[in-house]
Structures are given as structure tokens and as C-alpha cells.
Amino acid sequence: MKRMLKLLGILAGLVLGTGCDHTTVGYLDVRNAGYRPDTVYFKAVLNPEDPEEARRIQFEIPWQTTPIEGVQGTLPISYQIRSIVCKQGQEEAIRQFRMIRKGVIELPWDHTVPRGDYIFNLQISNEGRSLAKDSLITIIIN
């Protein structure tokens, strides 16, 4: 009987010990990082006659992307815009685009970023790790 209790104790210890998922501090995996969709469109000029655009003007609703997906690691994870690749208007883009919670890229509703394609390269970090991810999303200002 004692042998049976010892065996059950060992089995319980193995099950409990291997069942826990301990993520080491500094673990960061960005291999599957991305946005869905990976191309979004923001307007350069809003039309106050259009009801949806008039609402954006009235409530000063900023343009936003979806949150980034596919990032795994030890929390908290921070996101920064490392660089923006574009043909023109880079200074305006760097000054006005900003990163907010969970990798959402935001642009004010009344921005002055010129029309064009803006490709974003990000820096994703947590305690102990910092990884760069290029060409994650393209924002087209039209």
C-alpha cells in the first residue's frame, strides 16, 4: 500500500510539474507578427457633406489600424515606430503618426501628412528583448 501511495505521489508531482507553462522573463517571439489587413487607407481630406466623415470631424476621431497580431512573449510588450519608408512627406509622417496600445498605429483626424504610401518598420520590446520587424503594414493616404 505504501508503495502504491509513493507511486501516486510521484505521478501527481510529474503531472503538476509538467502541466505548468512558465514563460521565461524576456521571452519574445515576433516571427508571426503582422496586421490584418496589412494595407489600410486613410483620407487626406475629409468631406463634411459625407455623414461618416462629418462624424469623424465632429468627434475628432483619429484614424487607426487594427492591433498587431502574432506577438508572443513576457508582458508587458511595447511597440515603437522604428522608421517609416515613403517617397515624400517623411518628416510629417514621423511627426504625426504614433503608436498606441497593442501596436495600433494612429493618425489624427486633421493630419497634414501628404498623400502617398507609408510602410512601417517597428521595434517590439519587452524586459530583456528588443526585436525589429520591417514592412509590417502599409498605410495609404489618399
Side-chain angles (χ1 to χ4, degrees), residues 15-55:
V15 169
L16 291 174
T18 59
C20 297
D21 181 20
H22 294 286
T23 305
T24 56
V25 173
Y27 168 73
L28 186 61
D29 182 0
V30 298
R31 287 177 289 178
N32 298 317
Y35 287 89
R36 272 191 229 158
D38 64 355
T39 302
V40 293
Y41 298 85
F42 295 168
K43 291 208 172 195
V45 178
L46 294 172
N47 176 4
E49 302 299 318
D50 180 293
E52 188 175 316
E53 293 178 25
R55 184 175 182 277

Side-chain angles (χ1 to χ4, degrees), residues 3-24:
R3 192 170 187 205
M4 182 70 121
L5 287 174
K6 269 187 176 178
L7 185 58
L8 285 174
I10 291 171
L11 285 173
L14 285 173
V15 169
L16 291 174
T18 59
C20 297
D21 181 20
H22 294 286
T23 305
T24 56

Side-chain angles (χ1 to χ4, degrees), residues 87-122:
K87 291 183 181 174
Q88 63 179 10
Q90 188 169 18
E91 288 178 26
E92 284 297 310
I94 290 170
R95 192 172 57 77
Q96 294 183 58
F97 279 106
R98 68 184 188 127
M99 184 70 68
I100 61 172
R101 69 202 176 313
K102 295 188 180 180
V104 173
I105 298 171
E106 183 177 83
L107 183 64
W109 68 276
D110 61 347
H111 69 86
T112 57
V113 176
R115 296 175 196 263
D117 298 1
Y118 298 85
I119 301 168
F120 287 77
N121 302 317
L122 304 183

Side-chain angles (χ1 to χ4, degrees), residues 54-62 109:
R55 184 175 182 277
R56 184 176 295 275
I57 294 167
Q58 179 184 0
F59 295 107
E60 300 181 358
I61 300 170
W109 68 276

